Amino acid sequence: MPQSFEYDVLIIGSGAAGLTVALNLPEHLRVCVLSKTDITSGATLWAQGGIAAVLDDDDSTEDHVRDTLAAGAGLCHEDAVRFTVEHGRESIDWLVNSGVNFTRDENAGFHLTREGGHSRRRIIHAADATGHAVSTTLAEQAAARANIKLQSGRVAIDLITHRKLNLPGNRCVGAYVLNLEDNHVELFRARFTVIATGGASKAYRYTTNPDGASGDGIAMAWRAGCRVANMEFNQFHPTCLYHPHAKSFLITEAVRGEGGLLRLPDGSRFMDRFDDRAELAPRDIVARAIDHEMKRLGADHLYLDISHKPADFIQRHFPTIYEKCLGFGIDITQDPIPVVPAAHYTCGGIMTDDHARSDVNDLYVVGEAAFTGLHGANRMASNSLLECLVYGRAAAADIASRESAVPSAPDAPDWDESQVRDSDEDVVISHNWDELRHFMWDYVGIVRTTKRLQRAKHRVDLLSSEIGEFYSNYRVSNDLLELRNLVTVSDLIICSALQRKESRGLHYTLDYPGLSSEAGDTVLVPTTYRTLAP
């Protein structure tokens, strides 16, 4: 028999954003946090650099705001930037009080580093494994709370709304969820639902993201009627370790912040030809420069070199990177690191306000799945975890202020599997997955053209039709659900990119290399836009 559950708050995703919401909710609320695999398996765990916040007397809110606005290429919403920056210190204090062990300097204060786009040292970190420290600490805190239920091995399929139940109003009341242990679909009803599922970088062939970054929350919220914005702005991290067995291991921006130099195969530097800030230019500029030089030279990678720094300095500041590279025969105290750009962050997402509320009542979106207006056309380094914390706390506060007035979720039918059968054509899923990621990389990557985007649109339409038929006839699986969501999100990316007739931030097209005279967001509305996946 299918199982059903009822909670006050259902949180889909267990990264920094989702766990921040859970831990800041009143303890009388019954909270459930869902995770695809282990509770600490999200993108937060992989974050190396740190969290940007104004923590030093030589820094200021105005400096952080100004740097973020500059990196965002004219599209940041200044009110969202100020809201985030102004709540930065209290968010860091909350992490410290929660037990996150940040790196200290010789004076026992917090060691702050600097990354691309920042005019000051303001990145608080735990060596070069900040995400691991944050993720494991928050997971331990959540596991110790009696009111929080952590459910791993769960993949959300679709949100349950009043519209789907033929009830008046526009409210989200839970989700259908696939239990990966027994492959049955469960019903989760909740007064409030929070999407904290991360981004969609798995749409690309090369990515720094974990396998679960398949845009699930963005696709589900879109199907539920939420607007999306600025999906064309996909950040490609400039420096991913290039090695056949590295599985897209990220080389943190802090390496460049501490003096790392980008070099061509002949050992010469090149970044000063692209930007006065050289290696400390924002990520979009550095990624395009590397991409340009690779194509010009016909090279499959370039190099990041910090070997001119003392060996003990490198091992102390970047122990994870040092050990990882050493395992592949690369001693970064003596040799340059082979690097290549890779899809890293989805700057657009589901539109939310400063309480993390979406267009659908009682549905919140936090973290990388959300569009808050903070990142504009290019996310500045280490503002992502800050956004998770600030908006996660804001969502929790808003739920706490409203919970006494929000009724229980109505009854909903169990998932109907009576009209589907087991698949005997899983090769269709694997083939379509490979095709999608290849044409997204080739046609919707760092440098775009209208013709490439049109080719990608044609292919994504064909894939959508094929996957829609597959979804309607066979039992759902994790691979099918992720592919369905990636096709939907890829279509949103392509259509957003086709609408932007300029090059700005992370969206660079050879057909429109200049800036438009007016800066504006690309907003897609479900009621006026054909949804691809059923």
Side-chain angles (χ1 to χ4, degrees):
M1 287 289 294
Q3 291 199 69
S4 63
F5 305 91
E6 184 176 2
Y7 292 93
D8 293 307
V9 185
L10 173 66
I11 301 173
I12 307 172
S14 62
L19 291 177
T20 295
V21 176
L23 290 168
N24 282 275
L25 288 168
E27 294 193 28
H28 69 271
L29 294 179
R30 295 166 300 144
V31 180
C32 181
V33 180
L34 302 180
S35 178
K36 282 186 178 180
T37 53
D38 295 336
I39 294 299
T40 59
S41 62
T44 300
L45 187 72
W46 293 44
Q48 295 176 356
I51 307 169
V54 178
L55 303 171
D56 189 88
D57 291 340
D58 293 332
D59 198 3
S60 71
T61 295
E62 290 304 315
D63 285 341
H64 193 174
V65 168
R66 183 169 55 251
D67 291 346
T68 301
L69 293 175
L75 281 191
C76 294
H77 295 195
E78 187 169 348
D79 57 345
V81 175
R82 290 192 176 278
F83 177 79
T84 306
V85 172
E86 288 171 357
H87 289 83
R89 180 183 285 271
E90 66 189 52
S91 297
I92 297 300
D93 289 343
W94 174 72
L95 282 182
V96 173
N97 292 334
S98 297
V100 177
N101 187 22
F102 291 109
T103 298
R104 301 277 180 167
D105 60 22
E106 59 274 10
N107 299 316
F110 292 119
H111 181 269
L112 303 176
T113 189
R114 182 182 171 191
E115 296 179 347
H118 293 275
S119 61
R120 298 284 189 274
R121 284 182 172 266
R122 63 169 68 100
I123 315 302
I124 188 171
H125 61 101
D128 62 347
T130 306
H132 184 275
V134 171
S135 183
T136 54
T137 300
L138 296 186
E140 290 172 0
Q141 292 282 335
R145 294 278 182 92
N147 69 310
I148 299 177
K149 177 70 172 179
L150 303 177
Q151 295 268 42
S152 59
R154 300 300 198 282
V155 179
I157 301 172
D158 263 322
L159 300 172
I160 304 170
T161 62
H162 272 200
R163 288 178 180 175
K164 289 187 177 181
L165 300 176
N166 294 316
L167 295 173
N170 183 28
R171 182 187 177 201
C172 180
V173 292
Y176 290 109
V177 176
L178 175 64
N179 184 331
L180 295 179
E181 295 179 1
D182 60 17
N183 290 318
H184 286 298
V185 177
E186 300 169 338
L187 169 64
F188 283 78
R189 293 186 299 127
R191 295 197 291 149
F192 301 93
T193 303
V194 181
I195 287 177
T197 52
S201 288
K202 289 296 285 188
Y204 289 93
R205 183 180 180 187
Y206 302 110
T207 176
T208 64
N209 283 197
D211 288 339
S214 48
D216 302 338
I218 297 173
M220 286 191 297
W222 170 258
R223 291 193 291 265
C226 292
R227 293 170 298 161
V228 300
N230 289 3
M231 289 298 293
E232 69 270 36
F233 297 118
N234 315 101
Q235 187 173 80
F236 291 82
H237 198 287
T239 53
C240 182
L241 176 62
Y242 181 83
H243 191 280
H245 304 301
K247 197 174 174 59
S248 302
F249 181 75
L250 176 69
I251 305 298
T252 175
E253 193 147 347
V255 173
R256 283 180 285 130
E258 294 296 341
L261 304 174
L262 287 164
R263 300 188 186 276
L264 300 176
D266 65 4
S268 61
R269 294 179 63 190
F270 61 92
M271 272 308 304
D272 56 343
R273 290 191 277 109
F274 293 89
D275 194 279
D276 292 340
R277 291 164 289 186
E279 279 80 7
L280 290 178
R283 288 177 176 174
D284 59 328
I285 296 173
V286 179
R288 272 200 308 275
I290 294 174
D291 182 72
H292 177 274
E293 291 300 299
M294 286 172 56
K295 289 176 178 174
R296 181 178 69 85
L297 297 171
D300 50 13
H301 66 279
L302 298 182
Y303 294 94
L304 177 59
D305 186 10
I306 197 169
S307 62
H308 51 281
K309 290 283 189 177
D312 63 340
F313 173 89
I314 296 171
Q315 293 169 6
R316 185 172 69 254
H317 280 75
F318 307 110
T320 305
I321 296 172
Y322 173 76
E323 292 295 336
K324 185 75 170 183
C325 289
L326 200 61
F328 295 121
I330 305 165
D331 184 348
I332 68 173
T333 66
Q334 301 181 32
D335 305 312
I337 308 167
V339 294
V340 66
H344 182 61
Y345 194 87
T346 305
C347 287
I350 301 301
M351 296 185 72
T352 60
D353 62 13
D354 59 4
H355 300 289
R357 294 178 295 205
S358 74
D359 294 331
V360 175
N361 293 334
D362 304 329
L363 176 65
Y364 295 75
V365 187
V366 290
E368 193 175 348
F371 170 80
T372 63
L374 170 63
H375 304 307
N378 178 36
R379 176 179 71 87
M380 191 165 68
S382 291
N383 271 354
S384 54
L385 285 178
L386 178 64
E387 182 184 41
C388 290
L389 300 171
V390 170
Y391 282 90
R393 286 162 58 84
D398 194 67
I399 291 171
S401 71
R402 299 179 55 233
E403 62 97 5
S404 62
V406 174
S408 298
D411 291 336
D414 290 330
W415 184 262
D416 184 7
E417 293 185 336
S418 63
Q419 303 300 313
V420 297
R421 61 187 185 276
D422 291 325
S423 169
D424 57 0
E425 296 183 12
D426 285 350
V427 66
V428 173
I429 297 176
S430 61
H431 174 82
N432 288 352
W433 181 284
D434 288 341
E435 182 183 350
L436 175 72
R437 299 183 72 200
H438 274 79
F439 75 65
M440 286 296 290
W441 182 263
D442 291 338
Y443 298 151
V444 200
I446 296 173
V447 177
R448 302 162 178 175
T449 67
T450 300
K451 183 175 289 187
R452 292 175 191 170
L453 293 172
Q454 289 171 340
R455 287 172 176 163
K457 175 62 176 166
H458 175 68
R459 282 163 173 76
V460 85
D461 285 348
L462 292 174
L463 282 183
S464 176
S465 177
E466 196 166 297
I467 293 164
E469 180 182 357
F470 199 94
Y471 179 81
S472 299
N473 289 287
Y474 296 107
R475 284 189 174 85
V476 294
S477 66
N478 182 49
D479 288 344
L480 175 58
L481 294 173
E482 289 188 339
L483 179 59
R484 177 193 184 218
N485 291 330
L486 278 176
V487 168
T488 297
V489 174
S490 295
D491 186 63
L492 296 174
I493 293 170
I494 294 164
C495 289
S496 297
L498 281 166
Q499 289 191 27
R500 186 166 292 281
K501 309 297 186 183
E502 64 168 349
S503 289
R504 184 183 296 273
L506 299 166
H507 174 74
Y508 185 83
T509 170
L510 296 176
D511 293 314
Y512 302 95
L515 281 174
S516 171
S517 59
E518 295 184 6
D521 296 324
T522 304
V523 179
L524 301 180
V525 183
T527 55
T528 59
Y529 178 84
R530 183 172 64 85
T531 303
L532 290 174

